[in-house]
Amino acid sequence: MFRRVLGKTLGFLGYTVQYGCIAHCAFEYIGEFVACSGPSMEPTITSHDVVFSERLSRHLCRIEKGDIVIAKSPFDPHMNICKRVIGLEGDKICTSGPSDVFKTHQYVPKGHVWLEGDNLRNSTDSRSYGPVPYALIRGRVCLKLWPPHNFGALNQSPTGRIVKRSD
Amino acid sequence: MAQAGAGRRYVRAFVSGFFVAVPVTVTVLDRFAYVARVEGASMQPSLNPEGNVTGSDVVLLNRWSVRNYQVRRGDIVSVLSPKNPQQKIIKRVIALEGDFIKTLGYKNRYLKVPDGHFWIEGDHHGHSLDSNSFGPVSLGLVHGRASHIIWPPNRWQRIEPSIPPERMPLLNWHADATEDEEKD
């Protein structure tokens, strides 16, 4: 009697471990659901939207300019940030504001990316804390899932800040 | 007919075993422990003391202990390189956020480590690509803590955290602030 209960418990534990590991692999290598908060990506993503971010692009190093990415915050690893990639390594970014007289530029160092929110007036991003290491990126946002009337792929950048290809 | 049945049973057993073994192995390597060979001379004499002549050290990296990004000064940690996201570098933690340190060859001679960052250095100064070249490293890049050397067998040992005394941080804002409060 005791042996049967033990057998059943061990079987149950075995299934839990197996499905837990499969879930971990799915969330780590395929994609995860993210609930966004904050105004820094308006109008593309508004607060309390749920999006799906896929992990394959990050592991295969295929993140491109114009992608919206979820990354760990450089100043607090427990927090995630959702921003758009404006420039990749080697690109020249214009860091002066539109009203400045003298234009300043900065090159994105090797292994880093330049992130900016779509809502330029209300976003703390690489313009304040500098380029972000590529390895902090968690995934690329590819689909908006909630609210239902906005379901689907996400729009291109409305800001026109994406660096043209530098040849 | 009997052979076709046996073959099909083997295929089914192999596939079901595969779908158990691969996710479990991947989860263990991602969450609990990782094994890595140390290359290069940047951590001599602690790791790879004879270079690659007699074979490199293999270390056990504890990934569970860094799941909340808690590292201690003196730990040897593996970190995703800020210069190359597909490479992992293994260095010693010298200073944590808030520490005020003297650097060895960085663009600023003295530096306060910003929030959410830490400072890593190789034990073999001058032969090491570390924070003295690329600055403080974000805590989100930490990969695992090297807890044991597991190969070659004559170098089996537990790795203890230790900082060379000349590299200790000069002062720590947070610690000094709490000391003042306790005195009152």
Side-chain angles (χ1 to χ4, degrees):
Chain A
M1 155 74 192
F2 178 67
R3 203 170 292 171
R4 211 178 334 151
V5 170
L6 187 64
K8 281 218 161 77
T9 315
L10 286 181
F12 176 72
L13 279 179
Y15 274 122
T16 313
V17 166
Q18 183 185 346
Y19 287 122
C21 294
I22 293 180
H24 166 89
C25 290
F27 287 128
E28 185 69 30
Y29 294 101
I30 300 180
E32 54 182 2
F33 301 100
V34 181
C36 304
S37 68
S40 61
M41 283 297 291
E42 285 174 2
T44 317
I45 301 178
T46 39
S47 198
H48 308 301
D49 281 357
V50 175
V51 298
F52 180 75
S53 88
E54 51 99 0
R55 300 277 210 151
L56 281 178
S57 307
R58 181 249 181 263
H59 288 294
L60 299 174
C61 286
R62 290 207 191 288
I63 302 275
E64 290 165 14
K65 267 186 277 209
D67 285 346
I68 304 181
V69 295
I70 309 275
K72 287 192 240 191
S73 164
F75 289 95
D76 182 2
H78 297 278
M79 262 184 27
N80 294 322
I81 56 176
C82 177
K83 302 276 180 256
R84 200 182 283 269
V85 175
I86 300 293
L88 299 171
E89 66 186 22
D91 287 340
K92 189 167 149 189
I93 307 282
C94 179
T95 51
S96 57
S99 52
D100 289 351
V101 177
F102 296 106
K103 304 269 175 222
T104 54
H105 292 101
Q106 187 177 348
Y107 284 94
V108 180
K110 191 165 180 306
H112 289 65
V113 294
W114 189 271
L115 301 178
E116 280 182 14
D118 283 350
N119 190 355
L120 286 175
R121 244 167 289 180
N122 205 351
S123 163
T124 36
D125 45 38
S126 287
R127 289 170 301 159
S128 24
Y129 47 67
V132 173
Y134 184 99
L136 283 178
I137 294 179
R138 288 176 64 122
R140 181 180 72 95
V141 174
C142 55
L143 258 193
K144 197 195 285 197
L145 299 172
W146 187 269
H149 59 87
N150 268 344
F151 182 91
L154 294 120
N155 303 324
Q156 301 292 319
S157 167
T159 58
R161 289 269 302 162
I162 300 199
V163 179
K164 302 286 178 296
R165 190 185 315 207
S166 43
D167 286 328
Chain B
M1 286 307 290
Q3 282 173 342
R8 206 171 298 158
R9 258 188 292 129
Y10 278 130
V11 168
R12 199 175 303 165
F14 175 78
V15 165
S16 65
F18 181 84
F19 276 108
V20 170
V22 167
V24 171
T25 311
V26 167
T27 306
V28 166
L29 289 178
D30 279 350
R31 294 253 175 198
F32 297 105
Y34 195 86
V35 175
R37 178 181 286 272
V38 178
E39 286 172 15
S42 62
M43 283 298 290
Q44 286 178 346
S46 321
L47 299 176
N48 269 6
E50 292 116 43
N52 288 346
V53 173
T54 46
S56 341
D57 285 352
V58 175
V59 294
L60 181 71
L61 296 168
N62 185 342
R63 304 206 60 187
W64 184 251
S65 59
V66 296
R67 69 191 183 282
N68 280 330
Y69 310 104
Q70 285 171 323
V71 292
R72 294 167 299 183
R73 294 179 193 83
D75 276 345
I76 299 185
V77 292
S78 66
V79 162
L80 294 166
S81 169
K83 290 289 176 199
N84 182 355
Q86 287 166 316
Q87 191 189 31
K88 297 177 188 53
I89 57 178
I90 186 160
K91 301 280 181 272
R92 195 181 292 275
V93 177
I94 297 293
L96 300 176
E97 63 185 9
D99 287 351
F100 197 70
I101 55 164
K102 183 174 193 301
T103 65
L104 289 175
Y106 187 57
K107 53 184 180 178
N108 304 336
R109 181 154 323 162
Y110 293 96
L111 170 78
K112 174 172 179 275
V113 179
D115 284 345
H117 288 68
F118 64 127
W119 188 269
I120 55 174
E121 280 179 12
D123 287 347
H124 196 178
H125 302 304
H127 285 250
S128 163
L129 190 68
D130 51 27
S131 284
N132 289 312
S133 330
F134 44 69
V137 176
S138 180
L139 265 175
L141 293 176
V142 79
H143 180 254
R145 188 174 61 85
S147 58
H148 294 80
I149 301 180
I150 57 177
W151 189 268
N154 60 320
R155 280 185 49 80
W156 277 351
Q157 61 187 269
R158 195 186 151 95
I159 299 180
E160 299 295 339
S162 73
I163 307 188
E166 69 272 9
R167 299 304 304 144
M168 290 283 284
L170 300 175
L171 68 96
N172 179 291
W173 298 121
H174 304 183
D176 285 359
T178 47
E179 272 173 22
D180 285 344
E181 286 163 13
E182 282 165 10
K183 273 184 219 155
D184 295 342

